[in-house]
């Protein structure tokens, strides 16, 4: 039996996931592989490093800091989440990531990103989080609010453009007991993005443009697929019962804490069921 974990993104909605995973860290719940898209990969990394509370801590501390996220950073660098501060300084200096613990964990870690030239998703293997921060930037590079990120000679944007819930990637690699953590409730369906803005911004990249134009259809189809797999007992799904009530770039500390707390509550509520499922 091989166990896998699939984590949807959603920027600051990822604090819901962080709350669940912190319960898992406390309780010693482990998986053999993690497939994360965007914020799912960023917050999921702390499960492998065993750093309970880290995802909440640095977001509460630095979200008000304009060096972390700001319109000024977007206008001057092309990235709303500042590359040097949000990724490199926090990871290496301000709230260091425990790379040694990440490697000791021993699981396979994949960050899903969208190839700009093909418009298709790629599962990028991460073996060293600190040395592969550009891969973390690639999976979370929000369209319109981030520059394209180059990894191994290819350019990428956010994995959510093409593969928000990489459950099929996990199953196709032979992981047969799979937990999926979503950041939207069961009845959520994505609406189309503004096609004029997509064509204006990404017209030079036709495959990426088309992926963005179809993004809502692809996402909604994945939601239906996850629901079928759940009904068939092929995956175990944890999701919020209602909308989390925050935007992707929420900055209110109280609201961020509340989303994390909801995740921790659902993590505790589902803990024994998750353990039983993974042990079957």
């Amino acid at each position: 039996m091989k166990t896998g974990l699939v984590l949807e993104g959603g920027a600051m909605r990822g604090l819901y996931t962080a709350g669940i995973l912190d319960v898992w860290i406390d309780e010693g719940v482990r998986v053999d592989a993690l497939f994360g898209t965007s914020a799912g990969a960023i917050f999921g990394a702390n499960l492998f490093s065993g750093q309970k509370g880290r995802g909440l801590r640095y977001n509460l501390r630095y979200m008000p800091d304009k060096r972390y996220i700001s319109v000024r950073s977007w206008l001057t660098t092309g990235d709303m989440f500042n590359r040097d501060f949000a990724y490199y300084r926090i990871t290496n200096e301000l709230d260091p990531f425990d790379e040694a613990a990440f490697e000791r964990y021993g699981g396979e870690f994949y960050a899903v990103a969208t190839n700009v030239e093909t418009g298709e998703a790629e599962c990028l293997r991460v073996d060293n989080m600190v040395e592969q921060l550009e891969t973390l930037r690639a999976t979370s590079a929000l369209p319109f609010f981030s520059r394209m990120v180059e990894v191994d000679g290819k350019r990428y944007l956010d994995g959510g453009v093409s593969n928000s819930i990489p459950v099929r990637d996990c199953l196709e690699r032979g992981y047969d007991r799979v937990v999926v953590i979503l950041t939207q409730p069961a009845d959520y369906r994505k609406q189309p993005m503004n096609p004029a803005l997509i064509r204006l911004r990404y017209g030079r990249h036709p495959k990426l443009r088309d992926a963005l134009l179809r993004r809502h259809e692809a996402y909604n189809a994945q939601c239906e697929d996850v629901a079928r797999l759940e009904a068939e007992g092929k995956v175990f799904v944890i999701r919020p019962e209602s909308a989390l009530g925050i935007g992707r770039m929420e900055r209110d500390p109280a609201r961020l804490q509340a989303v994390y707390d909801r995740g921790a509550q659902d993590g505790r509520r589902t803990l024994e069921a998750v353990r039983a499922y993974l042990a079957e």
Side-chain angles (χ1 to χ4, degrees):
M1 180 181 69
K2 296 171 64 178
T3 59
L5 175 63
V6 174
L7 303 179
E8 181 182 11
M12 288 303 104
R13 291 199 312 272
L15 283 172
Y16 173 80
T17 301
I20 295 170
L21 299 184
D22 280 353
V23 172
W24 286 22
I25 291 171
D26 266 348
E27 298 295 333
V29 178
R30 293 177 56 89
V31 292
D32 297 317
L34 186 153
F35 293 74
T37 295
S38 195
I42 289 174
F43 287 109
N46 297 308
L47 173 66
F48 275 29
S49 67
Q51 290 176 277
K52 179 187 175 183
R54 180 174 178 269
L56 176 66
R57 182 174 61 242
Y58 71 71
N59 275 291
L60 290 182
R61 184 175 298 167
Y62 297 113
M63 187 59 75
D65 193 323
K66 291 182 179 179
R67 295 174 299 171
Y68 183 63
I69 175 175
S70 65
V71 173
R72 179 181 178 181
S73 175
W74 181 41
L75 294 176
T76 58
T77 71
D79 294 315
M80 187 73 80
F81 284 89
N82 185 272
R83 174 188 182 273
D84 293 338
F85 189 87
Y87 289 89
Y88 284 85
R89 283 203 64 195
I90 288 177
T91 300
N92 293 312
E93 302 173 27
L94 301 175
D95 201 327
F97 184 76
D98 191 339
E99 179 61 37
F102 175 84
E103 294 180 23
R104 284 196 303 271
Y105 188 93
E108 294 186 0
F109 191 102
Y110 295 93
V112 179
T114 302
N115 185 306
V116 169
E117 303 309 322
T118 67
E120 296 180 356
E122 295 183 15
C123 292
L124 306 178
R125 176 74 179 266
V126 178
D127 296 308
N128 186 306
M129 195 66 64
V130 172
E131 292 181 359
Q132 293 177 260
L133 282 176
E134 290 302 284
T135 301
L136 269 290
R137 289 188 62 233
T139 185
S140 57
L142 294 171
F144 301 102
F145 296 105
S146 304
R147 291 172 292 175
M148 297 170 185
V149 179
E150 184 171 316
V151 177
D152 294 332
K154 300 178 183 179
R155 289 184 297 173
Y156 295 95
L157 277 180
D158 194 300
V161 172
S162 53
N163 192 358
S164 294
I165 312 170
V167 63
R168 288 291 173 180
D169 301 87
C170 186
L171 291 169
E172 288 167 4
R173 284 170 170 78
Y175 296 94
D176 47 10
R177 309 305 294 170
V178 178
V179 177
V180 180
I181 300 179
L182 305 178
T183 59
Q184 295 283 14
D187 61 354
Y188 174 80
R189 293 297 180 270
K190 192 177 291 294
Q191 299 301 310
M193 300 173 68
N194 186 310
L197 288 179
I198 292 172
R199 293 187 176 98
L200 178 64
R201 178 65 180 86
Y202 296 111
R204 294 183 179 181
H205 308 280
K207 297 294 182 63
L208 176 65
R209 175 202 62 205
D210 291 346
L212 284 163
L213 290 170
R214 299 190 307 267
R215 183 182 185 187
H216 63 292
E217 297 173 355
Y219 178 84
N220 295 339
Q222 284 190 314
C223 289
E224 299 290 343
D225 189 37
V226 168
R228 284 192 297 270
L229 291 168
E230 182 182 23
E232 295 167 0
K234 294 180 179 178
V235 300
F236 186 103
V237 181
I238 306 174
R239 57 168 71 83
E241 293 184 355
S242 59
L244 294 174
I246 62 170
R248 284 179 170 270
M249 301 183 192
E250 179 64 58
R251 303 184 75 168
D252 184 331
R255 298 180 77 177
L256 295 174
Q257 180 73 57
V259 167
Y260 172 88
D261 291 343
R262 283 185 64 179
Q265 181 180 17
D266 284 354
R268 289 188 291 269
R269 176 179 58 81
T270 59
L271 178 62
E272 293 309 316
V274 166
R275 279 178 163 159
Y277 170 79
L278 292 176
E280 287 179 3

